[in-house]
Amino acid sequence: MKFSTFGFDDRLMEGIDASGYEEATPVQQQVIPHILAGKDIIASAQTGTGKTAAFLLPLINRIITTPHDSSTINALVIVPTRELAIQIAQHLEGLSYFAGVSSIAVYGGGDGGAFVQEKKALSMGADIVVCTPGKMMAHIKMGYVKLGGLKYLVLDEADRMLDMGFYDDIMFIINHLPAKRQNLLFSATMPPKIRELARKILHHPEEINISISKPPEKIIQQAFVVYEPQKIPLVLKQLREHSFKTVLIFCSSKQSVKQLTRELRRNKIKADEIHSDLEQDKREEVLMEYKSGRLPVLVATDILSRGIDIDNIELVINFDVPHDGEDYVHRIGRTARAEADGTAFTFVTPKEQRKFAGIEKLLGKPVPKGNVPPELGEVPEYNPVASRPNNQKRNFKPRRFGNRNNSKPSA
Ligand code: AMP
């Protein structure tokens, strides 16, 4: 689903483009319309699903498109750790770059200078404050935090916050907020204590469940960090060197499906293709050939990633990095069905590195990187932080306090 479906303000769309997001992830598709409609939500979504943007985007949109008081805090995002606070503030910086939303991250462990700056922002107002519970409580106790006009509260990684013993701090903060506000609660798991917290603070929430299953342990996963032109030679090499009897190759566009199938055939590899340009009859025919074992290599778009049951696929190749973690799990789940072991290779080009790092985050561990044969030439380094697709040239400085509404300069 394209982001244009949500009817976001143009200034926000520019930030989405600059962040390199093309399509909304499943959690974004489900959560964003409810937030835009002003509903409370309780969502179970893990890190790596795009959950941060799922709440930041509609929040930014609501803030910039509705009249709001810039001399107060409009939205409060409470998170368990300073690392997460910094990460969300940076994320926010990128997405709201053209929207002119003021924001600050408030977290423990900073020096005196940081405290003064936080105090200034919290007493003058900021559109969005991202904070850890203890530090925010400390500021509130000192009496200058402007919370009277607050409209939005987000609790992110709520289960982790409760595990870390922040329940009392969170309730202290909530007791200082206006009663009429929109509440968004995100949690990777939903134990009873989260349900209880939800009962206390949410009003008729929409419940959204996007838990993603992890791929079976027995799948051997490997990623190959390559440049785009090295992909086809690498497939050819892998198919020639290993004797996989059933291979399924996923490409993200029908053009690359067609091109790759052509190249495989040119190299005398028996391969066929499935994509949406083919009539249903033809697709079924190809699938039958493949299932019967007569066709060893099938190249397909995502049409095939979910739900179809083909046994004994030995190797899945992600010729392009799948759109999100869920797609990755579904795609590689085509192999290692039942008792069989399976192998899953993923090719990662420089512009896909960041997306792949998001998937690795979701899986909870890095995917081992395979060696690309030296005769294919020099390969890129795996450095996902540096590989932001469209905003490479733009220097997003983490902004502790800077905005269009307040007259004080940014730090
Ligand atoms: P999160 O689950 O919020 O930690 O996000 C995981 C990663 O996915 C982050 O690096 C985000 O920048 C990235 N991301 C979020 N939404 C999208 C999207 N729609 N398309 C591509 N990447 C995204």
Side-chain angles (χ1 to χ4, degrees):
M1 187 194 272
K2 295 271 177 230
F3 283 99
S4 51
T5 326
F6 302 117
F8 286 143
D9 186 277
D10 287 348
R11 292 165 290 174
L12 182 54
M13 287 302 289
E14 271 191 81
I16 294 171
D17 283 348
S19 297
Y21 300 173
E22 284 165 14
E23 300 217 1
T25 64
V27 69
Q28 291 162 358
Q29 292 176 25
Q30 293 204 36
V31 164
I32 291 174
H34 293 304
I35 304 183
L36 289 175
K39 308 251 341 171
D40 278 13
I41 59 159
I42 173 166
S44 66
Q46 295 142 312
T47 296
T49 53
K51 71 177 166 63
T52 313
F55 65 78
L56 286 181
L57 292 171
L59 268 189
I60 298 167
N61 198 71
R62 295 205 77 190
I63 289 173
I64 62 174
T65 56
T66 49
H68 68 283
D69 179 3
S70 305
S71 66
T72 183
I73 295 167
N74 280 273
L76 192 60
V77 181
I78 311 182
V79 304
T81 62
R82 51 184 292 188
E83 288 71 30
L84 191 58
I86 296 168
Q87 191 185 306
I88 293 179
Q90 286 174 346
H91 216 123
L92 177 58
E93 182 86 9
L95 294 171
S96 66
Y97 191 77
F98 302 96
V101 165
S102 65
S103 59
I104 183 171
V106 171
Y107 47 83
D111 57 14
F115 190 88
V116 171
Q117 209 174 28
E118 288 173 4
K119 180 177 171 185
K120 194 158 75 180
L122 294 174
S123 46
M124 288 179 61
D127 293 330
I128 303 180
V129 172
V130 186
C131 65
T132 50
K135 194 67 190 299
M136 192 63 192
M137 186 171 75
H139 279 292
I140 292 175
K141 280 185 174 163
M142 288 198 255
Y144 44 72
V145 183
K146 290 266 188 64
L147 290 167
L150 184 128
K151 291 193 192 134
Y152 313 101
L153 170 70
V154 182
L155 299 180
D156 192 19
E157 303 204 356
D159 49 352
R160 217 165 137 206
M161 291 204 275
L162 296 193
D163 288 346
M164 290 167 78
F166 282 138
Y167 179 83
D168 291 342
D169 297 9
I170 292 171
M171 290 318 285
F172 175 91
I173 298 170
I174 290 176
N175 287 333
H176 285 77
L177 305 180
K180 193 171 175 313
R181 52 167 205 268
Q182 186 177 5
N183 301 289
L184 315 173
L185 186 151
F186 288 82
S187 189
T189 57
M190 289 290 161
K193 57 189 180 179
I194 290 289
R195 297 264 165 215
E196 198 188 313
L197 179 71
R199 257 196 309 278
K200 283 201 172 117
I201 62 170
L202 304 180
H203 304 283
H204 306 298
E206 286 294 333
E207 184 155 349
I208 291 144
N209 188 342
I210 319 264
S211 33
I212 292 180
S213 49
K214 300 252 155 104
E217 285 291 328
K218 59 188 173 179
I219 301 180
I220 300 158
Q221 300 177 55
Q222 269 194 323
F224 294 87
V225 180
V226 289
Y227 291 110
E228 190 68 42
Q230 293 172 316
K231 284 180 171 179
I232 291 181
L234 185 58
V235 174
L236 292 170
K237 191 125 188 90
Q238 283 166 338
L239 296 185
R240 283 196 191 114
E241 281 186 2
H242 307 278
S243 52
F244 293 110
K245 286 190 222 58
T246 41
V247 181
L248 180 54
I249 307 178
F250 285 110
C251 301
S252 57
S253 73
K254 45 194 173 201
Q255 285 75 17
S256 33
V257 168
K258 290 175 190 172
Q259 189 195 2
L260 178 58
T261 312
R262 228 176 10 248
E263 284 302 317
L264 292 173
R265 286 176 177 162
R266 243 168 36 89
N267 283 276
K268 313 267 178 297
I269 292 172
K270 195 170 173 208
D272 213 331
E273 59 191 34
I274 286 199
H275 48 75
S276 59
D277 280 356
L278 298 181
E279 296 294 330
Q280 189 61 29
D281 284 359
K282 177 67 188 165
R283 283 191 221 170
E284 275 165 27
E285 192 188 308
V286 174
L287 209 51
M288 282 300 293
E289 277 292 287
Y290 185 62
K291 281 184 174 175
S292 71
R294 289 188 293 271
L295 175 70
V297 180
L298 180 60
V299 188
T301 52
D302 263 347
I303 289 186
L304 271 193
S305 75
R306 289 177 197 218
I308 62 147
D309 204 8
I310 309 176
D311 291 331
N312 306 323
I313 296 177
E314 288 175 335
L315 171 67
V316 166
I317 299 180
N318 290 310
F319 191 75
D320 304 302
V321 172
H323 178 52
D324 54 45
E326 218 174 345
D327 276 344
Y328 180 81
V329 173
H330 281 287
R331 284 189 188 184
I332 74 168
R334 303 290 103 221
T335 173
R337 309 288 266 187
E339 297 308 307
D341 287 348
T343 304
F345 293 156
T346 303
F347 295 176
V348 188
T349 61
K351 79 175 197 296
E352 295 170 312
Q353 288 191 9
R354 204 163 135 241
K355 189 155 73 167
F356 192 65
I359 292 173
E360 290 183 309
K361 212 158 125 192
L362 179 89
L363 299 173
K365 54 183 175 201
V367 174
K369 308 296 174 295
N371 290 328
V372 176
E375 61 270 29
L376 297 191
E378 206 177 303
V379 292
E381 203 189 320
Y382 188 57
N383 186 2
V385 180
S387 73
R388 299 180 150 227
N390 294 339
N391 51 10
Q392 251 160 340
K393 288 175 238 87
R394 205 171 279 124
N395 182 16
F396 288 135
K397 286 198 288 307
R399 175 174 53 175
R400 290 186 67 86
F401 183 43
N403 61 73
R404 111 208 108 113
N405 297 317
N406 293 312
S407 54
K408 297 287 173 201
S410 337

